Amino acid sequence: MRVLVVGSGAREHAIVLALAQDPEVTALACAPGNAGIAAVAELHGLDVTDPSAAADLAKEWRADLVVVGPEVPLVAGMADAVRAAGIDCFGPSAAAARIEGSKSFAKDVMAAAGVRTADSEIVDNPARLDAALARFSPPYVVKDDGLAAGKGVVVSSDLEVARAHASTLLDGGHPVLIEDFLDGPEVSLFCLVDGETVVPLLPAQDFKRVGDGDSGPNTGGMGAYAPLPWAADDLAGQLVDQVVAPVAAELVRRGVPFQGLLYAGLVLTATGPAVIEFNCRFGDPETQVVLALLRTPLAQLLRATATGKLAGEAPLEWADGAAVTVVVAAEGYPGTPRVGDVITGAEAEGVLHAGTRRRDDGAVVSAGGRVLSVVGTGADLAEARAEAYRRLEGVHLAGSHHRTDIAARAAAGEVAVPSAE
Ligand code: AMP
Ligand code: GLY
């Protein structure tokens, strides 16, 4: 099987590495990829916002399967274009990708499916903003209704901060979603979905804030771990029954079946799970830890999903133990990152590349905000965490920053779902 992966992050590096382990894969390409992916797959240039360019590349390269990593091309219709060219594609149609591309569409689907999520209100007229905010209580949650690479959300108890964020979005022509704050630990659940068949992967947790102790602004994700030692053993099954299967069925009912990876971002509140958001693709950086533990050959699984044969697949197999990843970010991230700095130690085992490129003189340099995602595995979370941080010590990038507390509270037994009283 010839597999073409679209994207250039550490998520795609993890996907490409897992595909390379599958004996059915005979050739691997990635577009546009990065300096780390180049060691495992042939790289091709691609404008990922151009669906027909991806379909042309897939035809030219004679791909049997295309795996689309990021949300932007999916929302733009890349999977539709690839399938129209007669090539199997892992990733939802533009119509189904709206589950991520429009938060109001997602809310509407959840309401119809009877799935619990935060109560919310959409504001598209600045004159209505103050009245809408007054209907909520702190902490305020203010979001961009459309795609924002994880950075469109402000959670603040300060009304002025919430209002200022909403005003900036509205001034830029973006409708704003205001919603109730959900209290409890967050869970990322990835599910393979082909229409109504839903197969969950291991639940994971990511760290969205830039600083230790969940301080500072939101980012695309600064680290992750899996599995969740503090969660019930059947958490994934419960979440499929209560959340993901009803949403998948509702999308089928609406004539927009979802086919690909449906990612539910949830909070486990005192009164049960509630959805924060759906994503239409693998999460980054959670993929780096989930795939580090998956033993089932990935290409066969993704092709079964892409061709509607998921129901016939054997149960997934997982390694024992745990995985932790720590993201190394460039100076300035999540604001404008400094790029072009030389990185050393980035070829080591467990070091996945995100924003990197190889310069003409052969040096690997930073080329984005999240630069590397360093993965460690171990018999338990404490060991996996120690391994990730040990590997991180071998990497150097001037001005970079990373969190020092990824998975620390979970490893210390300090994470729990709040109790109902
Ligand atoms: P989103 O872009 O919707 O994934 O939100 C980014 C992050 O903001 C989430 O991972 C949460 O940490 C936080 N967040 C978003 N919505 C809520 C909410 N309703 N209650 C609490 N935290 C939230
Ligand atoms: N880890 C968050 C995301 O991929 O959206």
Side-chain angles (χ1 to χ4, degrees):
M1 188 188 335
R2 296 172 60 84
V3 188
L4 167 66
V5 176
V6 173
S8 60
R11 163 185 53 207
E12 286 75 22
H13 196 176
I15 291 171
V16 164
L17 283 175
L19 291 170
Q21 303 290 313
D22 186 329
E24 279 202 11
V25 173
T26 52
L28 259 178
C30 186
N34 60 39
I37 295 174
V40 215
E42 49 179 278
L43 301 192
H44 291 269
L46 178 70
D47 172 1
V48 298
T49 64
D50 184 347
S52 60
D56 290 345
L57 173 62
K59 268 194 289 191
E60 219 169 277
W61 189 72
R62 293 178 293 111
D64 300 304
L65 176 69
V66 175
V67 178
V68 183
E71 65 276 15
V72 169
L74 290 165
V75 171
M78 189 175 284
D80 307 84
V82 171
R83 279 193 280 271
I87 297 169
D88 291 336
C89 185
F90 180 85
S93 64
R98 285 182 73 213
I99 195 81
E100 173 166 2
S102 163
K103 291 193 192 290
S104 42
F105 175 75
K107 292 279 184 194
D108 193 50
V109 168
M110 284 188 270
V115 168
R116 187 168 163 227
T117 179
D119 284 338
S120 67
E121 200 171 318
I122 288 269
V123 180
D124 53 14
N125 177 349
R128 304 236 164 88
L129 178 61
D130 283 335
L133 280 167
R135 285 189 281 276
F136 290 81
S137 42
Y140 300 97
V141 180
V142 176
K143 304 185 176 185
D144 189 328
D145 182 58
L147 292 182
K151 297 180 219 156
V153 181
V154 159
V155 180
S156 174
S157 294
D158 186 334
L159 179 60
E160 283 316 311
V161 171
R163 181 190 287 130
H165 181 57
S167 296
T168 307
L169 292 172
L170 287 166
D171 288 348
H174 296 238
V176 165
L177 191 88
I178 304 171
E179 69 179 25
D180 281 343
F181 179 76
L182 298 167
D183 191 21
E186 283 185 48
V187 173
S188 300
L189 183 71
F190 299 169
C191 294
L192 299 167
V193 175
D194 80 18
E196 295 207 28
T197 303
V198 177
V199 174
L201 308 186
L202 284 184
Q205 189 173 59
D206 80 343
F207 293 76
K208 289 264 170 61
R209 301 283 190 135
V210 73
D212 281 0
D214 293 329
S215 59
N218 269 314
T219 68
M222 293 298 290
Y225 68 92
L228 309 176
W230 48 267
D233 285 345
D234 63 342
L235 177 68
Q238 288 176 25
L239 295 177
V240 168
D241 291 348
Q242 294 174 28
V243 174
V244 185
V247 162
E250 174 62 19
L251 290 172
V252 170
R253 200 188 62 76
R254 291 180 181 217
V256 287
F258 190 97
Q259 184 264 87
L261 194 294
L262 185 55
Y263 159 162
L266 307 120
V267 173
L268 303 188
T269 75
T271 49
V275 173
I276 287 190
E277 60 165 356
F278 281 101
N279 293 315
C280 65
R281 36 90 195 162
F282 279 102
D284 188 344
E286 299 97 311
T287 299
Q288 290 86 301
V289 291
V290 170
L291 294 186
L293 299 170
L294 180 69
R295 288 293 166 266
T296 304
L298 185 65
Q300 298 170 42
L301 205 52
L302 299 188
R303 185 158 65 175
T305 309
T307 53
K309 299 196 177 104
L310 197 49
E313 288 294 293
L316 302 187
E317 288 178 32
W318 297 97
D320 291 334
V324 171
T325 190
V326 182
V327 169
V328 177
E331 183 175 323
Y333 181 80
T336 307
R338 195 173 88 188
V339 297
D341 289 300
V342 173
I343 309 161
T344 55
E347 271 98 18
E349 196 184 347
V351 179
L352 302 181
H353 288 219
T356 70
R357 70 179 175 83
R358 196 171 287 279
R359 231 169 34 187
D360 290 345
D361 64 0
V364 175
V365 298
S366 56
R370 292 191 292 177
V371 180
L372 302 168
S373 182
V374 182
V375 181
T377 54
D380 60 20
L381 213 45
E383 278 188 24
R385 191 178 131 65
E387 180 70 356
Y389 281 104
R390 196 185 58 70
R391 287 177 165 169
L392 190 138
E393 277 173 23
V395 169
H396 188 73
L397 166 63
S400 70
H401 59 96
H402 63 268
R403 282 183 62 159
T404 66
D405 65 346
I406 301 301
R409 291 183 59 238
E414 291 168 6
V415 180
V417 178
S419 60
E421 65 274 6

